[in-house]
Amino acid sequence: MNKRKTIFDTTLRDGEQTPGVSLTNEQKLKIARQLDKLGVDVLEAGFPISSMGERQNVRAIASEGLRLDVCGLARVLPKDLDACIDCGVDMIHTFVSTSDIQRIHTIKKSREEVVTMAVDAVERIKEHGVKCMFSAMDATRTDLDYLLEIFKAVENAGCDIINVPDTVGVMSPSGMYTLVRNVYNGVNIPIDVHCHNDFGIAVANSLMAVEAGASQVQCTINGIGERAGNANLAEVVMSLHSIYGAKTDINTEYLLETSKMVENYTGIHIPPNTPIVGDNAFAHESGIHTHGVLEQSDTFEPGIMTPEMVGHKRRIVIGKHAGRHAVKKSLGDMDIETTDEQLDEILSRVKDIANKGKRICDADLHAVASTVLGRNLGQETIILKEFSVMTGNLTTPTAVVRATIGNEEAIASNFGVGPIDAALKAVEQMIGGYTKVKVRDFSLEAITGGSDALAEVTISVEDEDGRVVSAQSASADIATASVDALITAINILLEKKKLWSMQ
């Protein structure tokens, strides 16, 4: 484990095979640049033979001048290999089915023919001076003696690294250790693993493979990929760093940033309880937990992994399980001071609201504190005066917002991919001279039924100093609810900013 482990990212190849995901050329280039910034060692850019568009994408990434190695995928067929070579990639990942079930029913070749095809492919790649990775597809369901035979054959042909894929995600962690250990003892070249997540153990299998001697792990950002996806890069890397004490070249402070980019481009939402990068990964609501974390963070966090290490932030969440320390801390962040009796009353009212099934936002806490203290806390810097959206099947969604900001009137308009996007962009543009904000989280829930259903929008926004505020609004018009929630959140952020600048 004290040797450096390398990370092979296949987000742009296996990740894009996620059902429903299709990335544009520009999105692929941006992800490739971000992965280079993140520090991955190899990027699998795509499968060039699959289409002319895919070939153009791979060629564009290969010519981008990135630090990492750009890899193209190819079957052990000359036309596939030539397509990769034509793209100018640094490495070719060539594969062929080796399990009896795939070999007999898909490619319909004998074991001897498969070995010959594999060797020929490796030799063709090396003749062109390109790095070669050979993958025995469905290795975890392949007879071990035959698997070792084909791995030794490609090693003798000049292969640089072999891949042991759990193609259908059926291997147990202990079984993965045993398999990779046998391969490790049978060959003299580096071993890479590619684990699928059909049973939710792709990361565990990848880590066991490293324990057994693998030096490289294939991953995807957010664990996306075929069926249930692949090993999640953030989870693999942080486990290697924090639990095993292993080294990689990953710049972990960009993990969250990279995750959010891929989430945005693919439309595959990250559940809040996702390890490392989920919104709740470093969030605390329970009174016992928040008390401990506020005193010393590693009382109820791993300690060996902090939010700052992965580009995240710790959050104290107010809800039905919150305690006095959490509420006092949140009020303190708003510069609201209370007596012990007032604090108890605010906590009681907060719990009453939460017990009705409502999520407590910063705006709710602010309103409760105002009521209990019997005075208006702060003032609205932004007061919405007018708001309209124009949309239709022949019209680019356009929003116009007019408001007073302080003593001045402001108006802004903007376009978007939909009415809500246009509305939020118009508000962000309107307040740009006062503060820079970005929407971190947006959720929508219908709270009544029928065609005139009342929709509740919850928005979390973050300013340029990293302060995060959440607010809710309900309306029969989704765009109106969205603008109201955003302006409420921004008003609280501006109040926090004013108080913070006075300290």
Side-chain angles (χ1 to χ4, degrees), residues 75-143:
R75 293 167 297 185
V76 289
L77 303 178
K79 62 178 182 178
D80 286 37
L81 304 173
D82 291 345
C84 284
I85 293 166
D86 179 62
C87 289
V89 296
D90 303 296
M91 172 185 282
I92 296 176
H93 176 193
T94 188
F95 69 96
V96 66
S97 295
T98 55
S99 68
D100 288 344
I101 188 171
Q102 287 195 1
R103 181 180 54 78
I104 293 169
H105 296 287
T106 59
I107 61 175
K108 304 182 188 306
K109 300 289 183 181
S110 68
R111 287 187 172 187
E112 292 74 21
E113 287 176 310
V114 167
V115 172
T116 299
M117 293 167 68
V119 168
D120 288 346
V122 171
E123 290 177 344
R124 189 182 189 93
I125 293 168
K126 297 310 296 180
E127 284 171 2
H128 286 83
V130 180
K131 295 177 186 176
C132 176
M133 172 190 284
F134 172 77
S135 179
M137 190 157 73
D138 208 16
T140 55
R141 295 194 296 179
T142 299
D143 174 73

Side-chain angles (χ1 to χ4, degrees), residues 34 37-39 233-234 237-238 241 248-260 276-277 305-313:
Q34 180 68 22
K37 175 182 175 182
L38 182 63
L233 185 145
V237 167
M238 292 313 297
H241 286 200
T248 74
D249 282 344
I250 297 296
N251 301 306
T252 61
E253 64 271 23
Y254 300 124
L255 285 172
L256 180 63
E257 179 182 290
T258 309
S259 171
K260 291 296 185 183
I276 319 297
V277 297
M305 177 180 69
T306 66
E308 293 77 16
M309 288 169 64
V310 300
H312 222 314
K313 286 183 173 63

Side-chain angles (χ1 to χ4, degrees), residues 167-202:
T167 305
V168 292
V170 294
M171 199 54 130
S172 68
S174 59
M176 195 71 184
Y177 179 92
T178 301
L179 174 61
V180 173
R181 195 65 186 174
N182 280 317
V183 174
Y184 179 80
N185 291 330
V187 300
N188 294 304
I189 56 175
I191 299 170
D192 167 276
V193 289
H194 175 103
C195 297
H196 275 269
N197 205 38
D198 296 74
F199 287 91
I201 51 177

Side-chain angles (χ1 to χ4, degrees), residues 358-437:
K358 180 176 170 60
R359 174 181 170 184
I360 304 296
C361 295
D362 296 282
D364 300 315
L365 182 60
H366 197 273
V368 169
S370 295
T371 301
V372 171
L373 272 60
R375 66 180 190 272
N376 183 36
L377 299 172
Q379 60 181 7
E380 291 184 331
T381 304
I382 306 171
I383 300 176
L384 182 65
K385 295 295 186 181
E386 184 182 355
F387 163 65
S388 62
V389 175
M390 180 176 65
T391 188
N393 62 342
L394 299 177
T395 304
T396 301
T398 306
V400 179
V401 180
R402 184 172 67 86
T404 57
I405 303 179
N407 297 318
E408 299 178 357
E409 182 168 297
I411 188 168
S413 63
N414 214 323
F415 305 99
V417 295
I420 296 175
D421 184 48
L424 299 185
K425 285 179 177 177
V427 173
E428 290 175 9
Q429 178 180 323
M430 183 181 66
I431 57 93
Y434 296 83
T435 186
K436 302 293 184 183
V437 299

Side-chain angles (χ1 to χ4, degrees), residues 37 54 70-71 114 138 191 280 288 367 481:
K37 175 182 175 182
E54 183 80 345
V70 177
C71 178
V114 167
D138 208 16
I191 299 170
N280 292 349
I288 295 172

